[in-house]
Every structure is written in C-alpha cells, then in structure tokens.
Amino acid sequence: MIKYGRLLGKVRIHPLFWVVAGIAILTGYFWELSILFLIVFIHELGHAAAARFFSWKIKRILILPFGGTCEVDEHGNRPIIEELIIVAAGPLQHIWLAGGAFLLETAGLITMESALLFHKFNLMIFLFNLLPVWPLDGGKFLYLLLSARTPFLHAMKKTLISSVIMLTAIHLIMIIIAPFNLHLWIVVLFLYLSLWLEWKQVRYAFMRFLLERYYGKQSGIKRLEVIEARGTDFIYQAMEKFQRDCKHLIHVDSIRSMDENEMLHVYFAKKQVNARLKEIVSND
C-alpha cells in the first residue's frame, strides 16, 4: 500500500489549471470545475496504480485544465499486455465512479442535480478519452493494436497519421456544430500540438526503444521473428523492422544471418550507423 500511496507525490498541477480555476471562481463555475478535476484525477490515478503494479517508472501525473496525463519512463519494451492493462485502467475508473455517484444520490448525500452533472461529466470524459487520437486512451489502444502486428516505428507513425486524420474530421464537425465553443477549441488545438510534438520525437522514441533492447531491458518476449533483408540494405533499415514482444534474427540475402544483439552492438558500440548489412554480417 505504501508504494501506491507514494503516487500522490507524483501529482503535478499545470499552472494553467490555476488560471482556469480563478476564472471559474469569478464566473461561478467552480463546482463544475471541481467535479471535472475529481474525475480526471481518479482517471489518471487508475493509470498510475496499474503502472506501479507492474513496476513501471512513473515520471509524473500531470493535471491539466481540460484533462490529465500519466507520464511513464518506459519506451516500448514492456509486454504489450501490460501496457494494455495500464491504458484500460483509466477508463475503467469511470464505471465505479458512476456507481458511487448513484449510491450517494440514493442515500441523499448529494442532490439529484449534482448527480446528473457528475454523470454528464463522467460520461463525457469517458467517451472523449476513447477517441482514437493520440495521446488519448483511444489513440493508445490503436497504437497497441498496431504494435502487435507491425514494427514499433511503423506502428507509431501509423498511429500519429491516423490521429491527425481523425482529429481533423472531429475539428470540421466541431466547426459546423459549435464554432464558438472556446473549450473545444482549446482541447483540439492542444491535441494538434501534442501530435506535432510527438511526430518530432518519433525518431528519438525509436532510438530509446533500440537502446533498451541493446542494454537488455526488453521483457515479455513471446516469439522469434525472422527479418528478411538484403545485403545492400543499411543497418538502420533492418532495425526499423524490429517489433515489440519479439526477438529478431536477421537473414541477409537468405544466406547469412545475424542476431539482433549483434546488430545493435555494431550500431551503438562500434558506431557503424551508416553501414550496409553486407559489410557487417558474418558467414555462418
């Protein structure tokens, strides 16, 4: 229980939240903001508790004016099933929150109006987070689905491209239905910014993924996956085919082969980052 209690020490409030809180007090919407804060806080604690259960390294739990995020220091080498549980742990909190609000209303501890408002916000946050847009939970579910079938780098890129397409469609619908809703504009612009920053960091995230494998921090290996490559391919082209939950054997020209650890050693230790496979592979 102590290790879960320490999660509260990871909570950080974004400065913009206090600005929004001040505006809410002045405009008479502090109660609504408090309900949103409670729901988002418990949602993110759900992610964090699941991550702590699997001994993931948690950087912080950041509460934003319109949502939150549980930031972890893991880079794609933990089992997909673990990450799936951690991502699902957030949305699952909304189920007992809805039940708790119902019981409080039934017991007369909160008014019907407060309960209806709570249910409205709870459902809104639940459905919003399931949109297939990174970094929302729905976007992470999409990424995990792609990761189970495609290489790490390709899965990440496909997720971000799909997220931009989906967000653009949502944005167009928003312009038609609620063009002057300031909160929606802030959320949409925040998601565009998050996707842009994530795209800029794709290669960095990929390098961290490879480095963890090089230093033996990969866990949850389920199978050996053979990568077919040509001798004229660059070493990084072969590594771009590395997949989660797999150990790789690289066949070069269907004649010679090398283990992924040998390839990573050549790339990171020997610094042969622009080498072609025919230059580094050894004969069987």
Side-chain angles (χ1 to χ4, degrees):
M1 291 300 295
I2 295 177
K3 71 175 183 177
Y4 293 106
R6 291 175 181 169
L7 291 175
L8 296 178
K10 300 286 186 178
V11 177
R12 301 290 183 270
I13 307 296
H14 194 281
L16 188 58
F17 178 87
W18 301 116
V19 176
V20 174
I23 296 173
I25 292 173
L26 294 174
T27 56
Y29 286 98
F30 185 72
W31 175 238
E32 287 81 355
L33 180 66
S34 299
I35 293 175
L36 283 171
F37 172 82
L38 177 63
I39 295 171
V40 169
F41 180 70
I42 293 176
H43 177 108
E44 298 305 327
L45 277 184
H47 289 309
R52 181 56 58 88
F53 177 80
F54 290 113
S55 299
W56 283 36
K57 291 170 286 186
I58 301 171
K59 294 169 62 177
R60 63 176 179 173
I61 303 168
L62 182 63
I63 305 299
L64 299 162
F66 40 79
T69 178
C70 176
E71 299 177 4
V72 297
D73 194 18
E74 302 290 345
H75 303 280
N77 285 301
R78 292 295 193 118
I80 291 177
I81 186 63
E82 281 189 15
E83 189 166 351
L84 179 63
I85 293 171
I86 291 169
V87 174
L92 287 175
Q93 305 309 307
H94 296 275
I95 298 174
W96 75 262
L97 281 172
F102 174 77
L103 292 176
L104 290 174
E105 180 194 356
T106 303
L109 298 177
I110 59 174
T111 64
M112 180 182 295
E113 291 76 14
S114 295
L116 288 174
L117 185 62
F118 186 92
H119 287 307
K120 175 185 174 182
F121 287 165
N122 190 46
L123 182 62
M124 178 182 69
I125 295 173
F126 173 75
L127 294 176
F128 174 74
N129 265 286
L130 292 181
L131 290 174
V133 176
W134 185 274
L136 302 178
D137 294 337
K140 292 177 180 178
F141 282 130
L142 174 62
Y143 161 69
L144 291 173
L145 177 63
L146 293 172
S147 292
R149 301 171 180 272
T150 57
F152 174 89
L153 183 61
H154 297 171
M156 194 73 251
K157 287 184 175 181
K158 286 180 180 179
T159 299
L160 296 177
I161 292 171
S162 299
S163 295
V164 170
I165 294 172
M166 177 59 67
L167 183 58
T168 302
I170 294 171
H171 191 185
L172 292 174
I173 294 172
M174 182 198 80
I175 291 173
I176 296 172
I177 298 176
F180 304 110
N181 190 309
L182 180 61
H183 291 92
L184 287 178
W185 274 99
I186 292 174
V187 171
V188 168
L189 291 176
F190 171 78
L191 291 175
Y192 277 127
L193 177 61
S194 297
L195 287 168
W196 178 66
L197 293 174
E198 196 69 34
W199 184 263
K200 288 181 64 178
Q201 294 292 321
V202 163
R203 299 301 304 190
Y204 169 76
F206 180 56
M207 285 298 108
R208 290 295 301 265
F209 168 72
L210 294 177
L211 273 170
E212 284 197 345
R213 296 174 80 99
Y214 173 58
Y215 287 113
K217 295 182 179 180
Q218 184 184 16
S219 60
I221 299 173
K222 291 183 178 180
R223 65 186 186 276
L224 178 67
E225 189 78 16
V226 175
I227 294 176
E228 298 292 343
R230 297 170 298 181
T232 54
D233 291 342
F234 289 102
I235 186 172
Y236 62 80
Q237 291 178 305
M239 292 192 298
E240 286 178 353
K241 299 177 182 179
F242 283 11
Q243 193 172 339
R244 294 182 63 166
D245 289 1
C246 297
K247 192 75 172 178
H248 295 291
L249 183 67
I250 298 88
H251 284 180
V252 182
D253 294 330
S254 300
I255 300 174
R256 296 165 291 178
S257 64
M258 67 186 307
D259 182 80
E260 73 167 61
N261 292 335
E262 297 176 78
M263 180 173 287
L264 291 169
H265 179 73
V266 169
Y267 190 85
F268 289 111
K270 295 186 177 181
K271 309 296 183 182
Q272 297 183 33
V273 295
N274 292 315
R276 295 184 185 272
L277 295 181
K278 63 182 179 182
E279 300 170 3
I280 63 173
V281 73
S282 59
N283 290 314
D284 290 336

